[in-house]
């Protein structure tokens, strides 16, 4: 069927109008959103290293200082001393505490008969003073000790539960602890994590002023 010129003109106008409307619609219709890209995963925290063994015994981070010490065969003298001083309940508390724990060998370096004398009931006050001189409030890691030694120009001083200070220094990788009498002990096994603090095993007994 032939369309007259007027009809063809109307049809063309309608077609153009339809195309324009479609184009406008295409421009204003939102494009369906695509799922957002996954957010970058934060860098994983460094894995916590396994707790070091002490005297060959497993040290569990879920146990308290007194429980783990009792399991370590090389800390048996310390455990006996803590019991004699009546400090089991204190060191089983929530803390947190950092304990510089002398080994049996460390106690063995004291003058002969010293340990037996300290364990006598009449010497409980002196024993308590010595043991609490090995305890610092809070949880102090080896990394924190290193940072504090660096910040202190080569020394870090910690006030113990007993009240007197300990001075820690690092030389050639060895970490020394100096008591008020000038005697040095060294950390043998650092960062033994506990549920109520931290233990650093040391090779000497720290002695406060006893008079």
């Amino acid at each position: 069927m032939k369309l007259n010129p007027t009809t063809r003109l109307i049809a063309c106008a309608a077609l153009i109008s339809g195309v324009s409307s479609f184009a406008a619609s295409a421009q204003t219709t939102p494009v369906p959103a695509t799922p957002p890209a996954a957010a970058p995963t934060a860098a994983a925290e460094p894995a916590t290293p396994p707790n070091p063994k002490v005297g060959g015994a497993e040290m569990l981070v879920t146990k308290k200082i007194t429980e783990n010490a009792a399991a370590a065969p090389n800390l048996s003298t310390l455990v006996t001393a803590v019991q004699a001083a009546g400090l089991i309940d204190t060191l089983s508390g929530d803390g947190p505490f950092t304990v510089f724990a002398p080994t049996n060998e460390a106690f063995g370096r004291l003058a002969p008969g010293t340990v037996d004398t300290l364990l006598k009931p009449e010497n409980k006050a002196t024993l308590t003073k010595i043991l609490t001189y090995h305890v610092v409030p809070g949880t102090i890691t080896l990394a924190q000790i290193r940072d504090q030694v660096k910040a202190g120009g080569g020394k870090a001083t910690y006030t113990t539960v007993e009240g007197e200070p300990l001075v820690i220094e690092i030389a050639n990788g060895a970490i020394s602890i100096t008591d008020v009498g000038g005697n040095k002990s060294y950390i043998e096994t650092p960062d033994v994590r506990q549920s109520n603090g931290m233990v650093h095993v040391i090779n000497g007994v720290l002695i406060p002023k006893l008079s």
Side-chain angles (χ1 to χ4, degrees):
M1 176 179 68
K2 291 184 178 180
L3 300 176
N4 60 45
T6 301
T7 302
R8 285 200 299 269
L9 182 60
I10 292 171
C12 287
L15 179 61
I16 292 169
S17 175
V19 170
S20 299
S21 297
F22 177 79
S25 174
Q27 290 173 352
T28 58
T29 301
V31 177
T34 57
T41 303
E45 291 291 330
T48 302
N51 227 17
K53 293 182 178 181
V54 176
E58 296 283 352
M59 298 286 103
L60 303 180
V61 297
T62 55
K63 290 190 174 183
K64 294 186 175 180
I65 293 168
T66 51
E67 295 174 302
N68 276 323
N74 63 335
L75 298 182
S76 59
T77 304
L78 175 63
V79 172
T80 298
V82 169
Q83 290 172 335
L87 294 174
I88 290 290
D89 288 345
T90 299
L91 294 179
S92 296
D94 292 336
F97 308 105
T98 294
V99 176
F100 297 100
T103 61
N104 295 348
E105 186 177 352
F107 279 102
R109 292 195 182 98
L110 296 175
T114 299
V115 173
D116 289 338
T117 299
L118 288 171
L119 293 176
K120 293 179 178 180
E122 60 268 29
N123 294 319
K124 181 177 178 179
T126 298
L127 179 61
T128 299
K129 188 175 178 68
I130 291 172
L131 293 177
T132 54
Y133 189 52
H134 291 76
V135 182
V136 175
T139 299
I140 304 171
T141 66
L142 179 61
Q144 289 171 325
I145 289 173
R146 291 186 185 281
D147 288 344
Q148 288 165 355
V149 167
K150 183 177 180 180
K155 294 182 180 181
T157 301
Y158 294 94
T159 300
T160 64
V161 169
E162 185 269 340
E164 294 180 88
L166 295 171
V167 176
I168 298 184
E169 300 170 272
I170 301 174
N172 300 319
I175 304 164
S176 67
I177 307 171
T178 304
D179 63 25
V180 291
N183 303 301
K184 288 184 183 292
S185 299
Y186 292 85
I187 294 180
E188 290 186 338
T189 307
D191 284 354
V192 187
R193 291 170 288 124
Q194 320 284 314
S195 67
N196 62 338
M198 185 72 70
V199 166
H200 302 289
V201 179
I202 62 176
N203 68 353
V205 177
L206 308 167
I207 306 295
K209 292 179 182 177
L210 298 176
S211 58

